[in-house]
Amino acid sequence: MGTWTALTSAPFTFAKGGNGCYGGGYVYAMAGGNKPDFGRYSIDAGAWEPLTPIPGGTSGKNPKGGGDMVYVVLNDTGYVYLLKGGKQDFMRYNTVSGAWEQLPDAPAGSKAKWDKGSWIIARPMPPDTTGDWYQIYSHKAKLAEMWVFNTRTGEWSTSPLQGIPSSSQKTGKNKKSKDGSDGA
């Protein structure tokens, strides 16, 4: 206990914008670095599996800094929701069918770019007659905008929530979340 163990190397090299999330016994990962590489690591098998590459989406671009992923289960199916970064592309990967599904683009807000340091987290909501659902909170770096995607309706909020405060209580200077920012 308290030591690091080397695991099997990923089938791709991680670069700026590379990211991962855990769900259903797997670590799902995107390479970033302007590459569409996507795969998962099986905790039980200790092995990587390349998966369907991330599609170009609305922008036609590959993932860059500012992207993030989150795993949710909706009615017994696991999905990896992905904010691609750089642009407004938002999509999900169906872990059963192995297919990517395009979703409505993330909101443009005061500036369309989702910059390095942007992130998403999922909040499970009480099941209802339509089944399981989540709210996915999306923080836009440098602008402190917080948007919400509803997995039940498949829609984004029409206006941002109050974002992360940007002024320091110690210095009074404005500080913005940037590259390296993350949520949990």
Side-chain angles (χ1 to χ4, degrees), residues 46-122:
W48 281 93
E49 173 187 3
L51 299 172
T52 306
I54 299 167
T58 318
S59 71
K61 305 286 184 181
N62 286 323
K64 297 179 180 168
D68 200 4
M69 302 184 306
V70 67
Y71 180 90
V72 304
V73 176
L74 300 172
N75 304 319
D76 298 325
T77 300
Y79 293 94
V80 176
Y81 282 78
L82 182 134
L83 176 65
K84 197 185 287 182
K87 300 292 182 183
Q88 297 168 252
D89 293 337
F90 189 63
M91 56 192 66
R92 70 181 184 181
Y93 176 80
N94 183 317
T95 64
V96 175
S97 71
W100 285 97
E101 301 168 8
Q102 184 65 43
L103 298 171
D105 281 350
S110 58
K111 182 181 173 190
K113 184 177 182 182
W114 285 73
D115 219 324
K116 294 181 280 297
S118 296
W119 47 261
I120 62 177
I121 61 169

Side-chain angles (χ1 to χ4, degrees), residues 89-174:
D89 293 337
F90 189 63
M91 56 192 66
R92 70 181 184 181
Y93 176 80
N94 183 317
T95 64
V96 175
S97 71
W100 285 97
E101 301 168 8
Q102 184 65 43
L103 298 171
D105 281 350
S110 58
K111 182 181 173 190
K113 184 177 182 182
W114 285 73
D115 219 324
K116 294 181 280 297
S118 296
W119 47 261
I120 62 177
I121 61 169
R123 176 182 176 215
M125 302 303 290
D128 59 19
T129 56
T130 62
D132 302 324
W133 67 290
Y134 287 74
Q135 287 183 326
I136 297 176
Y137 291 84
S138 303
H139 169 72
K140 187 184 271 190
K142 295 187 179 178
L143 300 173
E145 292 178 359
M146 182 74 75
W147 296 87
V148 181
F149 181 80
N150 182 321
T151 63
R152 180 178 51 195
T153 63
E155 297 176 347
W156 286 95
S157 55
T158 55
S159 59
L161 300 174
Q162 181 175 344
I164 296 172
S166 60
S167 62
S168 167
Q169 293 179 354
K170 292 182 179 182
T171 66
K173 293 182 180 179
N174 284 339

